[in-house]
Amino acid sequence: MAKAHEGSQFHLQEYINHHRQEIDNAIFTSSPSLLIFADPARKLQWIYTLANDKGTEYDDGFLEHLVQDPQQLIEARKLIKQYWPVRGPVWDGLALVKGKKNELGIILVEAKAHPAEIISESADSSEMREEQLRELLKMAQDAFGSASELDPWIHKYKQLASRLSFLALLSRELNIPAWLVLVNFINDKEHKETSVTEWKNHYAEVFDTLDFKADAPLVNRIALPIMLSVTTTRKLLRDTDRMVGLE
């Protein structure tokens, strides 16, 4: 991923590189299960940032941070290769979080600035074998209590389904504490503007279509932080500085 200059990737890059505390706070406060898991410091260690990785998106290279035993690491990679023979999903951001028992969890981050970015039939899962894709999606459906047909998982929400499936694989097959964080930006007046209400209605429709159940095992491993676009945030900061200067 080359350095972005607009849209969700731009805003995420700017927050991670220049406003990290704000996005860390938003992620923690959007997930009770993450707050419960994390140690008292409640800090995220970002292992993907634009500044450090020169614009390269991560796929499954983060496993070495989480699986210390060499043989277990080989087995974990082999399992993922069964479903993603080329590479795992490519993430917009990745962070480690330390648990109360010194175990490490992983934060898988996808950023969106407009609901249309979620409705897509193109995804990393296109590199998966068809039979393995269906097997993995059924695993994800079980993790989220879904009894729907596979059609919306395979087509309308294929990219999101790929991410949900990866979350299920890490959590249920590899026993890795993992959270899928869908960062949603609002008031992006320079690209595509989306309101809080639009995001709320959109996700209600998505989860209804995919037939999520409130008491399903992994529902509490999804976080939906709402963030102001970084351009709006900076304008507010400038306006505040000017007001302070006038006092």
Side-chain angles (χ1 to χ4, degrees), residues 62-219:
F62 64 85
L63 283 173
E64 62 192 42
H65 295 278
L66 298 164
V67 183
Q68 302 302 317
D69 181 84
Q71 186 58 40
Q72 290 181 1
L73 180 59
I74 291 172
E75 294 301 318
R77 285 177 170 161
K78 185 183 300 184
L79 179 61
I80 290 175
K81 289 294 184 185
Q82 289 180 15
Y83 298 101
W84 283 273
V86 179
R87 65 178 183 184
V90 176
W91 303 98
D92 292 328
L94 288 166
L96 299 174
V97 58
K98 189 176 180 181
K100 291 183 175 70
K101 299 178 182 179
N102 290 322
E103 69 272 50
L104 286 178
I106 186 72
I107 309 298
L108 311 165
V109 179
E110 281 287 307
K112 303 297 179 187
H114 192 270
E117 296 178 28
I118 295 175
I119 303 173
S120 173
E121 295 189 12
S122 61
D124 297 314
S125 57
S126 62
E127 298 177 343
M128 297 167 63
R129 302 180 181 95
E130 181 67 23
E131 66 276 12
Q132 300 287 19
L133 170 61
R134 290 182 176 274
E135 178 184 336
L136 190 59
L137 289 179
K138 287 179 180 178
M139 181 196 303
Q141 284 187 313
D142 180 63
F144 295 101
S146 173
S148 74
E149 298 293 330
L150 280 179
D151 185 71
W153 292 74
I154 293 176
H155 296 105
K156 187 174 184 179
Y157 298 119
K158 187 175 183 180
Q159 186 188 63
L160 177 59
S162 172
R163 274 56 177 165
L164 294 168
S165 299
F166 199 81
L167 174 66
L169 187 67
L170 290 184
S171 301
R172 309 195 89 181
E173 298 297 317
L174 296 177
N175 296 313
I176 292 174
W179 285 260
L180 175 61
V181 176
L182 305 173
V183 180
N184 306 286
F185 293 101
I186 60 171
N187 298 342
D188 184 1
K189 298 181 184 298
E190 297 182 4
H191 186 50
K192 290 184 178 180
E193 189 171 2
T194 306
S195 68
V196 173
T197 299
E198 286 176 301
W199 278 123
K200 178 181 66 176
N201 293 339
H202 172 72
Y203 280 111
E205 179 182 348
V206 170
F207 296 146
D208 184 60
T209 301
L210 297 180
D211 193 36
F212 277 27
K213 300 298 188 297
D215 59 350
L218 289 187
V219 164

Side-chain angles (χ1 to χ4, degrees), residues 237-247:
L237 290 173
R238 288 195 300 269
D239 291 346
T240 300
D241 289 343
R242 281 195 290 269
M243 290 175 66
V244 171
L246 290 173
E247 292 179 350

